């Protein structure tokens, strides 16, 4: 039986910074016990999980600026094949994810996302279609 093949589209590629902070309290100054950074966004996260389960994956979508370049490098380091469209302006958003294992709570803070100029959508659509067509 051949492996499952999955292509995902992430329209808002994100740099996820996960901080493990047991006993997190707003307003306090704390060091994290552990910190990890991932390329993220809904489709990228699905591709990562599917790859871990043995699927053949490819992810496509949108990224911007130096943050977008970092997302792409992190995906390559994880072995997640990507074809991400680089937006001409702005930065991909970052998300800070604070995990409090004592309270079993997670706090997520997103910064703003890059704006996509309306006139760019036809080019993006063509790029995404071509990326997905190469992965039948």
């Amino acid at each position: 039986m051949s492996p499952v093949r999955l292509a995902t589209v992430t329209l808002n590629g994100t740099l996820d910074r996960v901080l493990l902070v047991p006993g997190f309290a707003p307003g306090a100054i704390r060091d994290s016990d552990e910190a990890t950074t991932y390329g993220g966004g809904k489709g990228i996260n699905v591709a990562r999980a599917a790859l871990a389960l043995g699927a053949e994956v490819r992810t496509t979508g949108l990224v911007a600026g130096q943050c977008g370049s970092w997302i792409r490098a992190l995906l390559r380091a994880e072995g997640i094949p990507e074809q991400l469209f680089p937006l001409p302006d702005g930065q991909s958003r970052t998300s800070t994810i604070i995990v409090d294992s004592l309270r079993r709570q997670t706090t997520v803070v997103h910064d703003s996302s890059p704006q996509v100029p309306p006139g760019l959508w036809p080019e993006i659509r063509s790029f995404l279609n071509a990326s997905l067509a190469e992965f039948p």
Side-chain angles (χ1 to χ4, degrees):
M1 185 171 161
S2 61
V4 172
R5 301 180 77 198
L6 177 71
T8 65
V9 178
T10 303
L11 295 180
N12 199 9
T14 304
L15 188 66
D16 289 340
R17 179 98 165 126
V18 181
L19 306 174
L20 302 183
V21 187
F24 171 73
I29 297 174
R30 280 283 313 272
D31 290 336
S32 65
D33 285 359
E34 187 177 331
T36 310
T37 303
Y38 299 97
K42 300 294 189 280
I44 290 171
N45 294 340
V46 168
R48 177 179 294 110
L51 183 65
L53 293 171
E56 184 180 345
V57 302
R58 169 177 293 164
T59 191
T60 189
L62 309 177
V63 292
Q66 186 59 38
C67 193
S69 296
W70 195 4
I71 292 167
R72 295 178 90 167
L74 288 166
L75 293 177
R76 283 191 300 274
E78 285 187 74
I80 300 173
E82 57 82 11
Q83 286 189 331
L84 297 168
F85 184 91
L87 294 171
D89 297 310
Q91 292 291 329
S92 290
R93 78 175 181 181
T94 59
S95 295
T96 302
I97 303 160
I98 302 168
V99 179
D100 179 346
S101 59
L102 294 178
R103 291 188 182 91
R104 295 180 176 232
Q105 295 178 336
T106 300
T107 301
V108 180
V109 180
H110 300 295
D111 65 7
S112 60
S113 300
Q115 297 298 310
V116 179
L120 195 57
W121 280 110
E123 184 179 349
I124 291 169
R125 192 172 310 118
S126 293
F127 176 87
L128 295 176
N129 285 335
S131 295
L132 295 173
E134 293 173 11
F135 192 68

